Amino acid sequence: MYPLKYADLKDIKLEEKPIFLLNTTLLPIRQIIQQIQNDNVRGNLPLEIWCMIVEEYIKSCKPHYKSVQPISISSSAGKQIIHCRGVELDMRPFEDDTGVIKAEKWLDFPECHGSDTVTLYDIVFLESLTSALRMPKCLFSDLIVPDVIAFLQDGECWVCEERRVVCPGCPGAKGDYFGAITGCGASLACPPCLGLEFMAVDKAYHEEYYEIVPPTEQKAARDKRFRDRLIEFGYLQQWEARLKGPLHNCQTIRYDSAMVQISFATLKTLLFTLGPLAIPKLVGYYRAYKAKAKSRPVPIRPLPSHIYSALNILFVACVFALISTLPTFAPENIFLSTSSRLQTPNDVLFKRLAHIRPEGRLTELDDTLKPRIASLDARCLYLYYGPSILVHCPFCVSDEPLSYFWYALPMILLPHILHLFALGAATSSGIAGQEGNRWRTSAVMIGVGLAISECYLTGFGDWKANARAMRAEDLNHFHWNMRIWRGLGIGAADAALSGFLWASSTNRIFVVPPTAAERMEASLKVLENARGRLGALGIVRNVVSRDDTLRRQGDAYWRQEGQIMSEAMDEREVVEGVKNALGSGRIIITKLEEEARRFADGIIPAANAVQQQS
């Protein structure tokens, strides 16, 4: 459709009564802009403020479209008014391409208009505006069927059922009525929704790259073309939940970035609003935690050296688990490599596969796999259990799907068994000591739980779920997804166990207080250490007292020390300081004498008792 401007009104042929599209939501703001132009409502606000108000209104309003027919056009100095009447279009579903062509011709040259409504619309067009103002476009001509579906029928389409793509490989299906036939495994643009001409361009692309993987540049150009078409008709925003077309990935990226922007703006608002209230409380909680940590009965200690070995084992296991999720170590998925549907013919599938192989030749594994995935059930089992099971299992048959599970069970359990070995080593008393051994039961339960969960999901899952997927984008690659979830689950379990082991070993959380016997043993060790040091001190003093040279040096030291202290106490500053301290009451002589007497009374009997024991 084409937005009408002031200069286009003179070319409108009223006798042909064409159908126009009118955005009725913008009519009030156009009237306000006209009043601002005439300086009738501007008031004390500057023109820049009015422009900001107009722009914010246009951004916030939700468009509402009506089909109208022009009745007459009146002109005055620098202004034209086109008078239209509302028309309710009675257009039946477009059953084939001929119906679409006839409908588009009828929109330009209707033999008779649809049912009239009593609503009349006067749309004002100004020849020129103040440079800062911008008149929003609200009237559109040259309508086509996609415009009618998108803006007047709320995007409802009986052909694609609001998916905007059709399957072009099923003769007799809906797309066949519009010439939308190329082959299975493609997602072709819907002819009524996106236009016959656009569908023809998209069809040529699929025909050219039907049996080969398209180059990256061509695929990117097609994706951009398709995305721009969706934006043009508003499908990218209005039908995001329903749209699962070929641009699903780039569409997700677009909306994820928008969500990040919205979340960031909301976060800033919350920070500025709640920050002044939350920050003081957080500081208070931190100080209370530090004070509690200092007064706790079991103080925080450094990480014991033997715990480092346990943490290293868990770290290595976590790294290997995360590395196993990389696509480099996963088996090839031929449906993903060739962008093929599950219903793609076997010959076409392996022709595409041969095109991406070196020298265009299939490998021995490909030749072995080709007859084994000829049926739909075999392909479902391929996506569920992976290629290795289908190629190497000697007794598996599609009629008994559990036979694939029993053959795959050892391969499913192998990484979990290795994980259990790592958990057992990391929590053994020989490596991690008592601190790690207390987590042994929990670690084993976590490892066994992960193994049982994967076995349950694989053994009791719906392996035929992909049979209902009509497009390559809808396929659930269960085997490859399970590899990722298995690695992430094992890595998360190892990381969590490492955190708990570190926190409990340093007495931060999950502290086990020592028993009475352990406390008594620790106290006895402290007393034995103190008694040993006192005995050593007595021996040293005995040697000094018996040796003449050492005794004279000791006496000389104490005489010199007494002389130095006496000179220091005779200095004027020291004397004044002592007088001030005694006069202000900071030092009470009687109290000091009493404390010294009690201290001496406590030491002398204890020293006599020790001497008697010796």
Side-chain angles (χ1 to χ4, degrees):
M1 59 184 180
Y2 175 76
L4 290 174
K5 300 186 293 292
Y6 179 89
D8 300 325
L9 300 185
K10 64 179 183 299
D11 299 327
I12 296 177
K13 299 179 180 180
L14 298 176
E15 64 277 6
E16 295 179 355
K17 298 181 180 180
I19 303 295
F20 290 165
L21 192 66
L22 176 64
N23 186 354
T24 57
T25 311
L26 298 178
L27 291 180
I29 198 64
R30 288 175 64 93
Q31 295 177 359
I32 294 175
I33 293 175
Q34 182 182 359
Q35 296 296 325
I36 296 174
Q37 175 74 8
N38 297 332
D39 203 9
N40 294 333
V41 297
R42 191 178 301 180
N44 295 327
L45 291 178
L47 183 60
E48 291 76 9
I49 300 298
W50 279 110
C51 293
M52 293 174 61
I53 295 173
V54 170
E55 290 180 0
E56 289 299 324
Y57 175 84
I58 295 174
K59 292 179 181 178
S60 61
C61 65
K62 182 180 180 181
H64 179 70
Y65 293 93
K66 291 284 294 183
S67 53
V68 297
Q69 279 185 321
I71 302 174
S72 60
I73 299 176
S74 58
S75 302
S76 60
K79 180 173 68 174
Q80 293 189 76
I81 303 175
I82 179 170
H83 308 278
C84 301
R85 60 184 173 188
V87 176
E88 295 293 340
L89 296 182
D90 183 16
M91 303 184 72
R92 297 179 180 180
F94 314 102
E95 298 179 353
D96 52 19
D97 52 352
T98 304
V100 172
I101 295 173
K102 289 182 179 179
E104 292 180 349
K105 289 183 179 180
W106 183 87
L107 289 171
D108 289 333
F109 308 101
E111 298 176 359
C112 60
H113 54 72
S115 57
D116 294 346
T117 64
V118 296
T119 308
L120 299 176
Y121 302 95
D122 295 333
I123 303 98
V124 179
F125 288 84
L126 301 178
E127 184 176 6
S128 61
L129 283 172
T130 305
S131 58
L133 291 174
R134 182 178 62 88
M135 185 73 77
K137 300 177 177 62
C138 68
L139 191 62
F140 303 90
S141 64
D142 300 334
L143 302 185
I144 57 177
V145 166
D147 297 323
V148 175
I149 294 176
F151 303 111
L152 297 178
Q153 297 180 357
D154 294 331
E156 297 180 359
C157 177
W158 73 277
V159 178
C160 67
E161 299 177 354
E162 290 78 54
R163 292 181 180 272
R164 314 308 168 200
V165 290
V166 296
C167 173
C170 302
K174 297 177 181 179
D176 195 10
Y177 300 116
F178 298 87
I181 293 294
T182 58
C184 289
S187 297
L188 188 64
C190 177
C193 288
L194 303 180
L196 292 176
E197 295 181 0
F198 185 83
M199 183 274 295
V201 176
D202 203 38
K203 179 180 177 181
Y205 166 84
H206 286 294
E207 288 177 344
E208 182 177 359
Y209 300 109
Y210 179 63
E211 294 186 354
I212 60 176
V213 178
T216 304
E217 297 79 6
Q218 297 295 331
K219 188 177 185 303
R222 189 264 177 182
D223 289 350
K224 183 180 183 305
R225 184 171 64 250
F226 198 95
R227 177 176 175 275
D228 293 342
R229 193 69 168 179
L230 295 176
I231 295 175
E232 179 182 353
F233 296 111
Y235 295 139
L236 197 62
Q237 290 80 15
Q238 298 174 3
W239 305 103
E240 180 195 9
R242 303 182 186 182
L243 181 61
K244 297 180 180 179
L247 292 184
H248 183 68
N249 292 334
C250 69
Q251 182 182 345
T252 303
I253 294 173
R254 171 185 171 87
Y255 279 92
D256 284 347
S257 61
M259 290 171 64
V260 169
Q261 293 174 2
I262 294 173
S263 301
F264 182 69
T266 306
L267 182 62
K268 286 198 302 184
T269 304
L270 290 176
L271 286 177
F272 282 113
T273 305
L274 302 179
L277 301 176
I279 291 176
K281 288 189 173 295
L282 292 176
V283 173
Y285 290 148
Y286 175 75
R287 290 176 177 173
Y289 171 77
K290 297 293 288 185
K292 186 177 179 181
K294 292 179 180 179
S295 62
R296 64 172 62 189
V298 182
I300 294 177
R301 63 175 182 176
L303 187 67
S305 58
H306 55 272
I307 299 298
Y308 281 104
S309 301
L311 295 181
N312 289 335
I313 293 174
L314 293 175
F315 175 75
V316 171
C318 180
V319 169
F320 274 105
L322 295 179
I323 290 177
S324 67
T325 63
L326 298 177
T328 307
F329 302 99
E332 183 186 25
N333 187 341
I334 62 175
F335 290 95
L336 200 60
S337 301
T338 59
S339 302
S340 299
R341 297 191 312 160
L342 206 64
Q343 295 81 7
T344 302
N346 220 28
D347 293 336
V348 175
L349 175 63
F350 281 89
K351 281 183 180 178
R352 296 177 180 177
L353 188 61
H355 182 74
I356 63 175
R357 290 282 187 261
E359 300 180 359
R361 296 180 182 179
L362 297 175
T363 63
E364 294 182 2
L365 182 64
D366 298 334
D367 294 332
T368 306
L369 184 63
K370 183 175 181 179
R372 300 196 179 191
I373 60 170
S375 64
L376 182 62
D377 288 348
R379 294 186 175 192
C380 291
L381 291 168
Y382 172 88
L383 294 177
Y384 199 77
Y385 291 104
S388 178
I389 305 300
L390 267 73
V391 171
H392 298 106
C393 181
F395 58 86
C396 300
V397 291
S398 301
D399 296 336
E400 297 181 6
L402 277 180
S403 60
Y404 291 91
F405 172 73
W406 296 121
Y407 185 81
L409 188 59
M411 300 178 62
I412 295 174
L413 293 177
L414 179 60
H416 294 286
I417 293 174
L418 296 176
H419 182 224
L420 284 173
F421 275 117
L423 294 178
T427 56
S428 63
S429 57
I431 294 178
Q434 184 180 0
E435 294 85 354
N437 190 256
R438 60 180 290 203
W439 294 101
R440 192 175 185 84
T441 303
S442 301
V444 171
M445 291 178 62
I446 291 173
V448 173
L450 290 173
I452 293 176
S453 300
E454 183 173 356
C455 291
Y456 176 79
L457 292 175
T458 306
F460 296 93
D462 185 10
W463 62 274
K464 296 190 69 174
N466 284 316
R468 298 183 292 270
M470 300 304 296
R471 294 175 293 116
E473 293 80 7
D474 297 334
L475 292 178
N476 177 21
H477 308 278
F478 179 84
H479 175 71
W480 289 265
N481 294 338
M482 185 55 67
R483 287 176 57 90
I484 297 175
W485 287 113
R486 178 199 305 147
L488 294 178
I490 292 176
D494 292 341
L497 182 59
S498 300
F500 288 131
L501 188 58
W502 170 81
S504 62
S505 300
T506 55
N507 293 334
R508 283 177 166 81
I509 56 175
F510 306 113
V511 179
V512 178
T515 61
E518 291 175 346
R519 292 198 299 270
M520 184 177 296
E521 183 180 359
S523 300
L524 289 175
K525 288 182 178 179
V526 173
L527 291 175
E528 288 290 338
N529 189 16
R531 186 175 181 276
R533 292 187 179 184
L534 290 174
L537 179 61
I539 294 173
V540 171
R541 292 186 63 85
N542 190 15
V543 171
V544 172
S545 300
R546 291 177 181 274
D547 188 89
D548 294 338
T549 305
L550 293 177
R551 187 172 59 253
R552 285 194 300 270
Q553 290 180 356
D555 294 341
Y557 169 78
W558 287 111
R559 284 195 300 270
Q560 183 181 3
E561 183 70 16
Q563 183 180 359
I564 293 173
M565 291 301 299
S566 176
E567 293 176 356
M569 293 298 296
D570 292 339
E571 291 183 1
R572 188 177 64 178
E573 292 83 357
V574 176
V575 173
E576 292 178 356
V578 171
K579 288 182 179 180
N580 292 333
L582 294 174
S584 62
R586 288 181 296 168
I587 297 178
I588 303 175
I589 298 297
T590 58
K591 186 176 180 181
L592 288 176
E593 291 177 349
E594 181 65 23
E595 290 180 355
R597 185 184 63 78
R598 286 199 303 266
F599 181 74
D601 292 342
I603 289 178
I604 293 173
N608 293 332
V610 172
Q611 187 176 4
Q612 291 176 2
Q613 291 179 1
S614 303

